[in-house]
Every structure is written in structure tokens, then in C-alpha cells.
Amino acid sequence: MNGSLYAAPAFLFLFRKYFLVIVGAVMQGFAMGVFLFPHFIPSGGGAGFSVLLNYWFHIPLSIALWMVNSSMLLFAVHYLGGISALGTLLGITFTSISVNIFTVYVDTPLANVWIDLLFGSVFFGTGVAVLLRQGVSNGGVGVIALIISKYKKVSPGKPLFWINGVIFCITAYVIAWEIVVQAIICQWISTRVISWLYNAILPRNILTFDFVWRKK
């Protein structure tokens, strides 16, 4: 009897956790598919590699994004645990699906690269913050940032910015140098949003739905 009493809150906790992972993933996919990828702006290191795969081999961006991000799951399993890896897989799958849907069926509403960059960065940062607050990564180099955050006790936004900056330079060297300016601006805005939401604004139990109960 006592086991069933504890099982219900645990199931509800996991359901809400993974529901928020899906919400964060779709928001991230919305930012990439509607505002950033139409201008070939990589939103992160994984997106930068995806743009390169698309440029070199003409692999659809949604598939390339899933390939790059899912390849990092080995690190997630070893350092973050199976639950985090499962959440990461769920997140990157829904992000890739969302990118494909939004890219195909939704036109960029503003068609101005700088305004789209602003909106895309804010939506992207919000989506990633929701994922990180659930203890899962947004995939790609976000896994590395989350590992550093976990073991160094720092905000994930800082290592995410520096790791992605290196990848952006490589992408810009291969494709076009103006990409690095837009990508770094995107990272600067989105990582500010991530740090803001992750640390200061929202009480942790709003997004994580922490459960507290008394022992009878």
C-alpha cells in the first residue's frame, strides 16, 4: 500500500518533467526552424556542425541536427546518468521534428535577419533553459556544458558560450565569415536568457516540479 502511495507522486513527477522537456524542445525547434536556420545562423555548436553537414553533404538540417546531437548521448549516459540521457534523447528528437515541421510549414514572419536573430535567440535561450532546469541537455555540446555545470558548480551558460564560439569560427571559416558575428550575437543573447532563467528569475520548483512529502 505504501509503495503505491509513493509511486503516484513519482510517476507524476516524471510525467511533468518529460512534458516540460518536450515543451522546451519544441520551443528550441521553433526558434531554429522559424527564425535562425532560414538565415543559416547556427544557434549552437550542434547546429553549427549540422549546418556544415548540410553544406557539404546536403543532409536535411533536421536529420543532421539529430545525428550530431544524438552522438553525444554516450557522454550523457556516462556523466549524467540514464535518466538525463533519456531526457536528452527525448529533447533532441522533438527538437529535430519541430525544426523539420517549422522549416517546411511556417514562413519566417519578419524576414529581417537582425530582428529574426533577436527573436530566435530569446526563444532558443528560453527553450534551452527549460531543458537545463529539468537536468537534461539540449544535445550536442550542451551535454559538455551540462557536465561542466554539474561538476564545477557554475551556470551552464558560460561554458556553452565559449565552446560554441570555437565551433562558430570553424563554421564561418568554411561557409562565410559574417555567420560568426550573427552566431556569437545569438549565443550572447541566448546564454544571457539561459543564465537569467536558470539562476535568478524563476524559483526552481516552478520548472522542475519538485515534490515534498512527509514520512508518515
Side-chain angles (χ1 to χ4, degrees):
M1 186 68 176
N2 289 336
S4 62
L5 291 176
Y6 285 100
F11 173 78
L12 184 59
F13 171 77
L14 288 176
F15 176 80
R16 290 179 174 178
K17 176 185 179 71
Y18 289 126
F19 172 76
L20 286 172
V21 168
I22 293 172
V23 170
V26 172
M27 186 175 297
Q28 182 181 225
F30 171 74
M32 298 164 77
V34 175
F35 296 105
L36 300 176
F37 278 174
H39 302 290
F40 298 98
I41 301 173
S43 56
F49 281 127
S50 302
V51 169
L52 288 173
L53 289 174
N54 175 263
Y55 180 81
W56 283 328
F57 306 109
H58 306 289
I59 300 174
L61 283 167
S62 58
I63 296 176
L65 187 68
W66 192 91
M67 291 170 56
V68 171
N69 288 339
S70 60
S71 67
M72 299 300 295
L73 281 179
L74 291 177
F75 292 96
V77 171
H78 180 72
Y79 290 100
L80 304 176
I83 296 297
S84 180
L86 179 61
T88 299
L89 178 61
L90 182 68
I92 64 177
T93 300
F94 272 88
T95 297
S96 299
I97 293 172
S98 300
V99 167
N100 184 67
I101 292 174
F102 288 125
T103 301
V104 173
Y105 296 105
V106 179
D107 293 329
T108 303
L110 302 172
N112 179 287
V113 61
W114 300 108
I115 298 177
D116 287 341
L117 175 61
L118 174 61
F119 278 94
S121 301
V122 171
F123 279 114
F124 179 80
T126 303
V128 173
V130 173
L131 293 174
L132 294 176
R133 292 286 293 244
Q134 305 314 308
V136 305
S137 166
N138 64 319
V141 297
V143 173
I144 301 175
L146 194 58
I147 292 170
I148 295 173
S149 170
K150 180 178 180 180
Y151 288 98
K152 297 296 184 180
K153 309 299 182 183
V154 298
S155 169
K158 293 181 179 179
L160 193 63
F161 178 83
W162 290 108
I163 295 170
N164 286 340
V166 174
I167 298 174
F168 293 155
C169 289
I170 297 173
T171 306
Y173 176 78
V174 172
I175 300 177
W177 277 108
E178 58 266 24
I179 290 177
V180 73
V181 176
Q182 297 165 344
I184 290 177
I185 292 174
C186 175
Q187 277 297 288
W188 187 86
I189 296 173
S190 62
T191 51
R192 299 289 78 74
V193 173
I194 292 169
S195 297
W196 187 47
L197 293 177
Y198 189 88
N199 290 320
I201 299 303
L202 298 177
R204 195 169 185 82
N205 62 352
I206 288 181
L207 287 180
T208 59
F209 290 94
D210 293 332
F211 285 88
V212 178
W213 57 82
R214 295 180 300 172
K215 293 182 178 180
K216 300 287 186 178

